[in-house]
Amino acid sequence: MSTCEKKKLYIKTYGCQMNVYDSGRMADILAPLGYQATEILGEADMVILNTCHIREKAEEKVFSDLGRVRDGQKEGALIAVAGCVAQANGEHIIKRAPYVDIVLGPQTYHRLPEMVAKAHRARDEKTGRGRGIVETDFPLESKFDSLPDTQSIQGTSAFLSVQEGCDKFCTFCVVPYTRGAEYSRPVASILEETKRLTDQGIIELTLLGQNVNAYHGEHLDGAGTASLAQLMEAIATHVPSIKRLRYITSHPKDMSDDLIRAHGDLDCLMPYLHLPVQSGSDRLLERMNRQHTAAHYLEILERLRKVRPDIALSSDFIVGFPGESDQDFEDTVALVKNVGYVQAYSFKYSIRPGTPAGLYEDQIPEAVKDTRLAHLQEVILEGQKAFNAACSGRTLPVLFDRMGKTPGQIVGKSPYLQSVHIQGPESLMGHIVNVHITHGYANSLEGVML
Ligand code: SAH
Ligand code: SF4
Ligand code: F3S
């Protein structure tokens, strides 16, 4: 088969933003082989499911979708399962779904062209369905050294992976097993990628990592290692066309003094921080191995507010972690009310194979988890509504990035990641414009251009 022959690639992405980034890079790697993106499953010559293992439901979704892919695929299409379910289950995926050609982990996707060639050869040898190719090791070389320089990107906002993996081992979480040990990319390579993105019109950049504030990559000119704050300073200095900088996801333990200070010093760093706390109960935080107390977390927020009084906060919560008492749950609700999050994600604890908490004997009944989740989500939504309502009357800079659903409407993002709707010309697209907010709804804001 000629390498420049046009072929179609269908990618479905599950899970976190890092998977979104990875899916983009997989498309970049396959582009030189002639693969172009399609959103129609039935016309794809290759299908990639980029999967998430974080909760049981996410995993089950993959297997039900795989059945749908098998039934709806174009005759002879290659099927690949990538991401964290692939890493966790390896060849068991092929056992359960024998029509899968390729299983690849998050650290091996730079080898995709090789795997595609192998999968074709395996098919030719056996005629029809090939034997599955499984590549889920953690290679010594970093995939970041072998990713192509060409990056296809649209719009004005982009994600960039700067750190990957996790050494924290929270007792509920699979990420340290699926993504491996912490790794930070060198500052120079991040700056190069940032410049390439700005050449394509990107002005808002979100730095990604499973523990992005544990970042400690090689600094420029052999100046030792850089912290996340130093990396962001380097971006602000060397790539001034980045107007908005964000980072996600952080661990409270790694909120260092210089990072807190950066929130006061760096103009391009947005006044919004997602800092997951998971629970408001010290007893549970200890059993979760989060390595901090609720008081320590609150103290970090206080210091952040001192340097950046308008900082808005968001978090993740788990309800129904093994042994969670009514009091533990009340402690979480109290913490949510105390902090006043502008937004937050909450999940029912899900037993994950191979994690310590999966073996704890005091698991919480599903019905209790349901009640607690509903209650917590109500409290979170109240906070979100109150924050949005309080934005009414304020003037906020809005980055416009999409057309609205009604004629003449254009939609953008506030510094706090709220969607802002106004009536305005399409020419605003890609620009940051001051907007006077006239209404704060539960999930969005409305305003007029100044
Ligand atoms: N690295 C990030 C989050 C990674 S996973 C951090 O340390 O905060 C994203 C969120 O999924 C977590 O914050 C947690 O709230 C949730 N999560 C992880 N494992 C879970 C499990 N077993 N059951 C339910 N929620 C879980
Ligand atoms: Fe999972 Fe904890 Fe690591 Fe976050 S810090 S990825 S929750 S183990
Ligand atoms: Fe899911 Fe893996 Fe991300 S488990 S949340 S895709 S790191």
Side-chain angles (χ1 to χ4, degrees):
M1 207 180 279
S2 136
T3 49
C4 51
E5 190 186 322
K6 290 287 169 247
K7 286 168 273 180
K8 297 273 194 213
L9 173 66
Y10 174 95
I11 306 187
K12 176 159 181 184
T13 308
Y14 309 74
C16 62
Q17 266 119 350
M18 191 163 294
N19 261 12
V20 176
Y21 175 84
D22 289 345
S23 289
R25 302 312 328 255
M26 285 193 266
D28 295 333
I29 289 164
L30 291 171
L33 276 71
Y35 284 100
Q36 286 175 340
T38 177
E39 293 189 354
I40 305 167
L41 174 67
E43 68 171 32
D45 301 279
M46 177 160 182
V47 176
I48 301 177
L49 300 188
N50 194 14
T51 63
C52 174
H53 194 54
I54 201 81
R55 284 169 288 273
E56 193 182 355
K57 269 203 182 129
E59 183 176 6
E60 279 314 309
K61 181 99 181 52
V62 171
F63 285 101
S64 69
D65 282 358
L66 262 178
R68 230 165 286 148
V69 168
R70 178 196 51 200
D71 298 339
Q73 69 174 141
K74 175 176 163 181
E75 178 74 36
L78 283 183
I79 301 178
V81 178
C84 291
V85 175
Q87 187 64 46
N89 292 355
E91 57 200 30
H92 292 289
I93 293 183
I94 312 252
K95 289 207 179 102
R96 197 164 156 185
Y99 45 89
V100 169
D101 297 278
I102 298 170
V103 174
L104 71 155
Q107 308 310 343
T108 44
Y109 64 74
H110 55 296
R111 297 184 186 160
L112 255 174
E114 232 174 283
M115 291 180 228
V116 167
K118 265 196 210 163
H120 277 301
R121 275 201 303 274
R123 284 244 183 124
D124 291 345
E125 281 162 17
K126 275 188 67 179
T127 63
R129 280 289 160 211
R131 49 167 205 277
I133 313 289
V134 180
E135 292 241 13
T136 52
D137 51 348
F138 290 103
L140 285 175
E141 86 270 12
S142 158
K143 68 182 170 203
F144 293 110
D145 295 335
S146 347
L147 295 179
D149 285 348
T150 44
Q151 216 159 330
S152 113
I153 201 93
Q154 277 164 3
T156 45
S157 302
F159 296 117
L160 199 173
S161 277
V162 302
Q163 181 280 339
E164 204 169 335
C166 180
D167 298 339
K168 297 282 189 298
F169 293 93
C170 301
T171 53
F172 51 81
C173 184
V174 290
V175 171
Y177 313 98
T178 64
R179 292 276 169 170
E182 272 179 16
Y183 168 81
S184 299
R185 291 173 71 179
V187 174
S189 132
I190 295 164
L191 288 180
E192 270 168 39
E193 191 168 330
T194 306
K195 283 179 192 150
R196 282 203 306 270
L197 292 169
T198 55
D199 287 346
Q200 294 182 70
I202 295 301
I203 59 172
E204 179 178 59
L205 189 67
T206 303
L207 306 178
L208 296 179
Q210 260 92 34
N211 270 290
V212 71
N213 57 344
Y215 176 85
H216 58 280
E218 184 190 328
H219 211 338
L220 297 175
D221 309 321
T225 56
S227 64
L228 180 64
Q230 289 169 321
L231 169 67
M232 293 194 296
E233 275 160 33
I235 292 174
T237 310
H238 295 279
V239 201
S241 40
I242 291 295
K243 301 297 178 210
R244 289 183 162 191
L245 200 52
R246 306 175 184 276
Y247 61 90
I248 195 167
T249 298
S250 299
H251 192 287
K253 197 174 168 232
D254 296 314
M255 283 310 295
S256 55
D257 293 345
D258 71 334
L259 183 55
I260 292 175
R261 238 180 292 124
H263 279 273
D265 296 345
L266 278 180
D267 289 338
C268 60
L269 183 56
M270 289 292 97
Y272 180 94
L273 181 65
H274 181 71
L275 190 62
V277 64
Q278 315 295 354
S279 169
S281 152
D282 285 346
R283 206 177 63 85
L284 284 203
L285 287 171
E286 166 108 44
R287 286 191 105 199
M288 290 175 167
N289 189 31
R290 290 291 290 182
Q291 305 173 49
H292 64 82
T293 59
H296 178 215
Y297 178 82
L298 293 171
E299 181 204 313
I300 293 167
L301 301 191
E302 201 176 305
R303 286 164 60 210
L304 279 162
R305 282 175 168 149
K306 235 177 231 152
V307 296
R308 190 74 217 226
D310 63 336
I311 196 160
L313 297 154
S314 128
S315 176
D316 293 341
F317 293 93
I318 294 179
V319 301
F321 183 79
E324 185 186 60
S325 65
D326 287 340
Q327 184 57 50
D328 293 321
F329 177 67
E330 284 311 320
D331 290 349
T332 299
V333 172
L335 181 138
V336 171
K337 289 183 177 164
N338 176 358
V339 171
Y341 292 102
V342 305
Q343 194 260 341
Y345 301 96
S346 46
F347 312 100
K348 284 191 283 179
Y349 169 69
S350 168
I351 293 184
R352 304 315 289 131
T355 59
L359 300 174
Y360 292 176
E361 280 171 7
D362 40 5
Q363 299 290 332
I364 302 294
E366 212 50 32
V368 175
K369 289 186 198 169
D370 284 331
T371 317
R372 287 182 184 167
L373 184 70
H375 181 49
L376 184 64
Q377 291 188 335
E378 236 169 69
V379 176
I380 289 169
L381 186 63
E382 261 168 45
Q384 181 177 323
K385 280 185 186 163
F387 178 69
N388 287 355
C391 286
S392 180
R394 284 179 70 179
T395 297
L396 298 178
V398 175
L399 168 56
F400 287 98
D401 56 6
R402 60 193 192 275
M403 295 311 290
K405 287 193 185 117
T406 56
Q409 192 185 52
I410 180 163
V411 190
K413 263 183 300 181
S414 77
Y416 312 116
L417 287 177
Q418 298 142 301
S419 290
V420 184
H421 300 250
I422 69 161
Q423 289 297 120
E426 198 174 340
S427 57
L428 291 179
M429 198 74 96
H431 296 280
I432 298 172
V433 180
N434 276 333
V435 168
H436 176 72
I437 305 299
T438 53
H439 282 98
Y441 301 105
N443 292 305
S444 64
L445 305 179
E446 192 175 294
V448 290
M449 196 168 49
L450 284 182

